[in-house]
Amino acid sequence: MATFLELSTKAKMPIVGLGTWKAMEELVDEGLVKAIGISNFNHFQIERLLNKPGLKHKPVTNQIECHPYLTQEKLIQYCHSKGIAITAYSPLGSPDRPWAKPGDPSLVEDPKIKQTAAKHNKTAAQVLIRFLIQRNLAVIPKSVTPEHIAENLQVFDFQLSDEEMATILSFSRNWRVCYLRDLASLEDYPFAAEY
């Protein structure tokens, strides 16, 4: 049985513990799901899960926030070394988030991203998505308009150079869009660890 935490929005968020993982493994065993994964786990939490006595199914993916301002290099390296894929959410920096503050950085308006986009005759969003794809990540941008959904798929007809990739990687400033402030007091707050 999962434990739930009530957020300030009154939404209830499940907290996945080792008991919950066992129940998720049973879903795989029963053929009800093909794979199970985790979200926002740091390397300590992943290690605890991988060392769980009787572990039958390891996570297939760790879904984490990832974009040029939060490159997550160490966590991605760690996950890949354990055979865990990364699914990157908020790849565009969630520009339409309701909790944005004036002065927050905007990835889609970053002059260097826009310059790279112009060079490739692409949008900033397409460059941001391509950057993560070239890092061997699954990317899940949020889009609500059919035009943007189609545009987000047009990222396989160009490639960023090694120099462009290195430049964009250098933008990292450990800036998190989804910091889950309501969870910060929990012992297992995932963002307290370096990675």
Side-chain angles (χ1 to χ4, degrees):
M1 182 67 69
T3 302
F4 290 85
L5 175 73
E6 188 170 310
L7 303 175
S8 61
T9 60
K10 301 299 179 204
K12 295 201 182 290
M13 179 176 169
I15 305 299
V16 177
L18 297 181
T20 304
W21 190 258
K22 184 178 185 301
M24 291 170 57
E25 287 179 317
E26 290 170 6
L27 296 173
V28 176
D29 293 342
E30 293 170 14
L32 297 173
V33 298
K34 291 185 179 188
I36 50 181
I38 52 182
S39 181
N40 294 317
F41 273 43
N42 63 41
H43 80 286
F44 294 120
Q45 294 165 325
I46 296 168
E47 200 64 35
R48 188 169 64 222
L49 178 59
L50 294 177
N51 290 322
K52 174 189 174 298
L55 180 74
K56 295 197 294 188
H57 302 284
K58 72 179 187 178
V60 172
T61 190
N62 188 10
Q63 186 180 64
I64 61 172
E65 179 181 344
C66 191
H67 46 71
Y69 294 165
L70 184 68
T71 58
Q72 304 261 31
E73 290 182 80
K74 287 182 179 179
L75 182 56
I76 290 168
Q77 234 177 5
Y78 172 82
C79 287
H80 285 170
S81 77
K82 300 294 182 183
I84 300 170
I86 295 292
T87 302
Y89 69 79
S90 295
L92 312 180
S94 298
D96 61 347
R97 66 193 180 282
W99 62 90
K101 297 181 193 100
D104 275 355
S106 171
L107 279 163
V108 293
E109 295 300 324
D110 185 294
K112 292 180 184 173
I113 297 288
K114 289 172 87 171
Q115 181 181 20
T116 302
K119 177 181 170 188
H120 291 279
N121 199 27
K122 293 291 181 179
T123 66
Q126 289 169 320
V127 166
L128 294 166
I129 293 166
R130 183 67 202 184
F131 166 70
L132 296 172
I133 288 171
Q134 283 185 224
R135 294 181 66 204
N136 198 28
L137 309 182
V139 185
I140 51 172
K142 176 188 168 217
S143 298
V144 293
T145 66
E147 177 187 318
H148 284 153
I149 292 168
E151 188 178 271
N152 289 345
L153 294 172
Q154 303 302 314
V155 294
F156 299 102
D157 58 350
F158 77 105
Q159 188 159 336
L160 299 171
S161 70
D162 291 344
E163 182 181 329
E164 290 168 326
M165 288 293 292
T167 297
I168 296 171
L169 265 174
S170 76
F171 298 168
S172 190
R173 52 175 94 167
N174 204 31
W175 181 73
R176 192 176 292 282
V177 172
C178 302
Y179 42 85
L180 305 174
R181 185 181 326 200
D182 291 332
L183 305 179
S185 63
L186 294 178
E187 180 182 339
D188 279 335
Y189 182 63
F191 309 140
E194 178 189 358
Y195 68 98

